[in-house]
Amino acid sequence: MTARTIPLPPPDLYYPASGVSVVTALRERRSQHEFAAEHLSLTVLGTLLNESAGLTEVFGRGTPSPGRAYPVSCVVAACAVDGLPAAFYRYDPREHTLAPLDTEVAPREWLQRVLANRTIADTEAAHVFAVGDPRSAEQHFGPNADRFLMLEAGQLVQSMLLVAQHQKIGACTIGRFDQAEAQALLGPATGGGPVLHSAAFGHYPEARVQSAAHRSAA
């Protein structure tokens, strides 16, 4: 662990949604296109990353990979996370840490420029990009490398959406972004691999919370 590496808190699997089943998470999941002006906790971000991309204590990794290849890495654009300076970070799944990227680019302004959906860019607390490692993929999957990179990125982001539902935060998959600009900033952090997929995360706005409460009361 380097001096700049930021350790993440242990994942919180029981608060605030203990007992949420996979089926319940799938049924209740909705894409969130606007978020509350509220910071995510570092514990929530750590749980989101650990349970989807990290090494869990008992069950290995939450997202499977044929041959244990795991050729997709996570790069986080942290805009509003408690205890975490606004910056870009690469997640280390083995150490459960974040390593800042060597850039002075402000994540909020960059997302506002790169994402097609400006409302999401304006309000999200964190954005996670799935970046592929073509060399590892070719080693494990041969001529099917490109196809498996896309499949694994999709599986990884889907896992994040389910964890977000468990943590009772909003999420939205994002496929439309400036590929060239994303590649230029994020690719070098993972050996020049392609930026494959991404998702935005943040707290629900008050209107969504009130709507959910109303449905529960009914």
Side-chain angles (χ1 to χ4, degrees), residues 4 17 27 40 42 62 77-79 87 111 127 141 148 177 183 189:
R4 298 183 65 202
R27 283 177 172 252
L40 284 183
L42 194 57
C79 300
L111 289 166
H127 201 107
F141 309 130
F148 269 95
F177 50 84
Q183 193 64 42

Side-chain angles (χ1 to χ4, degrees), residues 84-215:
L84 192 64
F88 292 87
Y89 302 87
R90 180 175 181 178
Y91 177 61
D92 184 332
R94 296 189 177 278
E95 299 296 330
H96 192 47
T97 58
L98 292 174
L101 303 195
D102 188 15
T103 177
E104 298 299 320
V105 175
R108 176 77 70 195
E109 287 79 0
W110 184 83
L111 289 166
Q112 290 168 337
R113 189 170 67 250
V114 170
L115 300 189
N117 191 317
R118 180 61 186 262
T119 302
I120 287 178
D122 286 345
T123 59
E124 64 179 312
H127 201 107
V128 180
F129 289 88
V131 185
D133 180 347
R135 185 174 300 178
S136 173
E138 287 168 10
Q139 213 172 36
H140 287 84
F141 309 130
N144 294 318
D146 289 345
R147 182 164 65 91
F148 269 95
L149 275 178
M150 296 298 293
L151 288 169
E152 297 220 2
Q155 290 179 164
L156 178 61
V157 171
Q158 176 65 35
S159 294
M160 289 183 188
L161 299 184
L162 293 177
V163 178
Q165 188 64 32
H166 176 274
Q167 294 292 298
K168 295 299 183 186
I169 63 169
C172 186
T173 56
I174 304 294
R176 192 177 174 192
F177 50 84
D178 188 323
Q179 184 70 40
E181 190 153 359
Q183 193 64 42
L185 180 67
L186 307 178
T190 55
V195 181
L196 302 167
H197 202 358
S198 74
F201 301 94
H203 286 285
Y204 294 125
E206 186 63 27
R208 165 74 184 252
V209 174
Q210 290 176 348
S211 175
H214 176 74
R215 289 197 305 272

Side-chain angles (χ1 to χ4, degrees), residues 62-76:
T63 304
S65 178
R68 297 183 179 179
Y70 300 105
V72 178
S73 299
C74 293
V75 177
V76 181

